[in-house]
Amino acid sequence: MDTNSPDITIVVPLLNEQDNIKPLYEQITKALDSKHDYEVIFIDDGSTDDSFDILTQLHNSDTKVKVVKFRRNFGQTAALSAGFDLAKGKIIVALDADLQNDPADIPKIIDKLNEGYDVVSGWRKVRHDHALTRLLPSLIANWLIARITGVKLHDFGCTLKAYRSDILSEINLYGEMHRFIPALASWSGAKITEIVVNHRPRTAGVAKYGLMRTFKVLLDLITVKFLGSYSTKPIYIFGGLGILSGIGATLSGAVVLYQKYISAQHLAMNRNPLLVLAAMLVTATIQLILMGLLAEMLVRTYHESQSRPTYVIKELLQ
Ligand code: UDP
Ligand code: MG
């Protein structure tokens, strides 16, 4: 390993934030300088304004500043991923570039991590965003994510979080999934906590997201839950549903037979909703179980072709 590695890597994804970069850089420097050994990685996620020129200037004047420029806009999650992949620090802190997160919180979040946690998540307790398009959807989303993942955080969407680098190296991110890192990490056994952080209104540039993101997040939540709970045994969920619909098919079939042969009140074939239901459920049963078997084959290919184990080891003494 590189012996010159800094202790801490700050990861900042950004898209068209030309007016925020310099003040952000100054605030990070003020919060960390002299007391900490760190690097800052800015990821320019396909900006079309002067962001990259400003980043280049910073890089030329400060060796702590590293810059990644994407060929086009790949999204905040991909940008964070690139930062995590390049980070050399043992502690990684991510934050937004728009000055809504406060760099003055970085030392606090690192201190919390050093109390023995693997992930510390920021909680924007007092939040300065649009009430209807951001605050309400995120209230609902946070409640759902906490319920479904079993990880009790108030604010999954806050970018300001600190991570131990070994936790991140095990996690691959897709879609809008950076907010699920605490959940994914906790499922592999990481210790997670949160601290209240400062949140400020955006004063320059424009917000990049609207209501659409909430729907993406909900779809990602389904994926995450499925992968987290069933990725090594998909037949349990597909097969489980298959068995349920098999039971339904048997019951409604039995009622149809009873109507036809025992009580004389049977309906014409094409008029009996229960008969239609029975036929549909039989089809669903077969489909679901076959889908489960296909998923089982996919899972085996996934794990075996990439020699991905179905477990996570923390330490190995041998
Ligand atoms: N961002 C990015 N790529 C995108 C969209 C946003 O890197 O495709 C950055 C953006 O520049 C900012 C952060 O992600 O630093 C959060 O974006 P924004 O402030 O628009 O979202 P919000 O604060 O509402 O979560
Ligand atoms: Mg913002």
Side-chain angles (χ1 to χ4, degrees), residues 136-283:
L136 183 68
S138 90
L139 202 70
I140 300 169
N142 282 317
W143 180 82
L144 264 178
I145 298 173
R147 284 300 298 263
I148 292 179
T149 63
V151 177
K152 302 282 174 259
L153 293 181
H154 288 90
D155 189 6
F156 287 87
C158 181
T159 309
L160 179 57
K161 291 186 173 79
Y163 312 90
R164 269 184 209 291
S165 60
D166 52 338
I167 289 292
L168 289 176
S169 61
E170 288 157 12
I171 293 176
N172 293 321
L173 299 173
Y174 303 90
E176 283 289 321
M177 281 193 186
H178 62 268
R179 72 196 59 241
F180 296 113
I181 299 173
L184 298 168
S186 149
W187 290 344
S188 27
K191 265 184 87 178
I192 319 284
T193 191
E194 67 184 355
I195 59 167
V196 173
V197 295
N198 191 13
H199 191 244
R200 309 179 288 192
R202 199 187 241 281
T203 51
V206 288
K208 272 84 197 172
Y209 301 103
L211 205 52
M212 254 319 277
R213 179 167 64 179
T214 313
F215 294 108
K216 293 187 184 165
V217 167
L218 291 180
L219 293 173
D220 281 341
L221 176 62
I222 298 176
T223 316
V224 164
K225 177 65 186 172
F226 175 73
L227 293 179
S229 307
Y230 299 105
S231 71
T232 58
K233 42 184 189 331
I235 190 74
Y236 291 176
I237 190 154
F238 288 108
L241 291 171
I243 288 174
L244 274 184
S245 83
I247 292 172
T250 312
L251 288 179
S252 49
V255 175
V256 172
L257 290 179
Y258 172 82
Q259 287 172 338
K260 187 168 161 71
Y261 294 110
I262 299 177
S263 79
Q265 45 137 322
H266 82 271
L267 302 162
M269 280 291 232
N270 60 348
R271 291 272 176 83
N272 190 340
L274 279 178
L275 183 64
V276 178
L277 183 68
M280 274 171 48
L281 287 176
V282 167
T283 320

Side-chain angles (χ1 to χ4, degrees), residues 96 98 100 202:
D96 283 341
D98 58 0
Q100 291 201 266
R202 199 187 241 281

Side-chain angles (χ1 to χ4, degrees), residues 6 101-102 105 107 130 133 137 180 183 198 209 233 285 297 311 317:
N101 294 138
D102 186 349
D105 284 321
H130 193 282
T133 59
F180 296 113
N198 191 13
Y209 301 103
K233 42 184 189 331
T285 307
M297 285 168 66
Y311 47 79
L317 306 175

Side-chain angles (χ1 to χ4, degrees), residues 9 11 39 41 82-89 92 165:
T9 301
V11 172
E39 63 177 350
I41 305 181
F84 296 158
D85 289 343
L86 292 165
K88 296 218 175 82
I92 300 177
S165 60

